[in-house]
Amino acid sequence: MKLFLQSIAISIGIHLLFFLGTYVTGIIRMMNYTPDFEATGSFSSEVTFGHTYTASPLLLPITFICVAVIAGAIITLYRSKSAAY
């Protein structure tokens, strides 16, 4: 049970680091952005529609489980290596 909780905690930590890092990077880029109005020339009143990327709703649970399994394997390997010495 301890291995399970440790691997879940590591997975939560890694996911939080990823999302917080993405969030902070976006905030920093937005704060430092200065538009270049001279390079655009004139603004157009047309709107262009295109494709947007939408991730599967299963992506987060799948990555969460995969990271937890990998973390559990690393913890198990670390414990077996340290017990051997």
Side-chain angles (χ1 to χ4, degrees), residues 28-83:
I28 291 171
R29 286 184 180 183
M30 186 176 60
M31 288 172 51
N32 294 329
Y33 178 72
T34 54
D36 188 14
F37 291 117
E38 295 170 358
T40 58
S42 64
F43 292 107
S44 122
S45 61
E46 297 177 8
V47 177
T48 305
F49 294 98
H51 297 284
T52 58
Y53 174 74
T54 55
S56 171
L58 294 176
L59 187 63
L60 184 63
I62 288 172
T63 59
F64 185 80
I65 292 169
C66 289
V67 170
V69 168
I70 292 169
I74 290 172
I75 292 170
T76 304
L77 284 172
Y78 179 73
R79 285 183 185 168
S80 66
K81 290 260 186 184
S82 63

